[in-house]
C-alpha cells in the first residue's frame, strides 16, 4: 500500500513486465486533472490519471501511447474508491465506488520493465501520457494498492 507522494525507484517498483494487475486507489479530488499513479516513462509505462474529470489509463509500449477513458460524467465529491483492472488479454475495466464505469482494450501488456520508477500523485522524469509534466494531483490520495495477477 502506497501513500501520496510515494516515489519508488525501478528496483522497488512492481515488476509489471508481461503481468496483468489491479490498481485500487482511495482519492478525494479537488481539481479535475492530476496523476493518481504512474510507473515508467516515455518508452514503457502506465499512468492512471484524471483529465478534465475523466478517468484515463494510459500505457506506453515501445514508445507508442495507447489510452482508455472511463465513461462517466464526473467523479463523486469526497473520498471515493477507484479501481482499474488490466487483464491478461489486455482488456481494461474501470470501477468507481464498486460500480463498473466502462473500459476497453489496449494493444497488450507491457513488453518491457519501465526504467523510470513509480510515483503516487505525480509523474516525474519522462512522462507516460501527453499531459503537462508532472500533472500533480490536487486533493488527497489516501492509498494506492497495486496487486499483480
Amino acid at each position: 500500500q502506497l501513500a501520496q507522494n510515494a516515489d519508488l525507484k525501478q528496483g522497488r517498483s512492481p515488476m509489471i513486465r508481461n503481468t496483468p494487475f489491479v490498481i485500487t486507489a482511495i482519492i478525494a479530488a479537488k481539481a479535475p486533472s492530476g496523476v493518481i499513479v504512474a510507473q515508467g516513462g516515455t518508452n514503457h509505462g502506465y499512468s492512471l490519471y484524471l483529465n478534465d474529470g475523466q478517468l484515463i489509463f494510459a500505457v506506453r509500449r515501445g514508445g507508442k501511447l495507447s489510452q482508455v477513458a472511463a465513461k462517466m460524467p464526473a467523479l463523486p465529491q469526497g473520498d471515493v474508491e477507484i479501481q482499474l483492472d488490466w487483464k491478461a488479454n489486455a482488456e481494461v475495466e474501470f470501477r468507481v465506488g464498486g460500480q463498473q464505469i466502462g473500459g476497453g482494450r489496449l494493444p497488450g501488456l507491457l513488453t518491457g520493465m519501465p526504467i523510470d520508477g513509480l510515483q503516487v500523485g505525480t509523474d516525474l522524469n519522462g512522462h507516460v501520457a501527453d499531459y503537462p509534466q508532472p500533472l500533480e494531483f490536487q486533493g488527497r490520495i489516501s492509498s494506492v494498492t497495486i496487486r499483480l495477477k
Side-chain angles (χ1 to χ4, degrees):
Q1 190 169 354
L2 302 168
Q4 193 160 355
N5 300 319
D7 183 7
L8 305 178
K9 300 298 179 208
Q10 182 196 36
R12 296 190 58 224
S13 298
M15 300 301 287
I16 56 173
R17 182 175 169 253
N18 293 318
T19 304
F21 56 84
V22 175
I23 298 172
T24 304
I26 309 288
I27 68 167
K30 289 184 180 175
S33 299
V35 172
I36 298 167
V37 62
Q39 182 177 350
T42 57
N43 195 31
H44 293 289
Y46 69 86
S47 178
L48 180 60
Y49 70 102
L50 292 171
N51 184 38
D52 291 329
Q54 293 298 300
L55 192 57
I56 299 173
F57 184 60
V59 172
R60 282 217 191 248
R61 293 170 26 120
K64 184 173 181 193
L65 177 64
S66 301
Q67 299 187 121
V68 175
K71 295 169 178 64
M72 55 186 268
L75 277 177
Q77 295 293 316
D79 284 348
V80 63
E81 181 183 270
I82 292 175
Q83 190 171 73
L84 172 108
D85 187 353
W86 194 10
K87 301 172 185 286
N89 64 2
E91 284 188 22
V92 173
E93 278 184 10
F94 292 101
R95 292 186 183 278
V96 172
Q99 294 196 0
Q100 186 172 345
I101 57 162
R105 182 180 291 271
L106 293 167
L109 298 175
L110 290 176
T111 55
M113 180 62 186
I115 294 172
D116 290 353
L118 179 147
Q119 294 90 40
V120 175
T122 190
D123 185 358
L124 301 174
N125 304 315
H127 55 281
V128 175
D130 292 331
Y131 41 68
Q133 193 177 359
L135 193 62
E136 291 184 16
F137 187 84
Q138 303 298 311
R140 183 178 64 252
I141 301 174
S142 299
S143 67
V144 171
T145 304
I146 300 168
R147 180 177 54 86
L148 305 179
K149 301 200 290 184

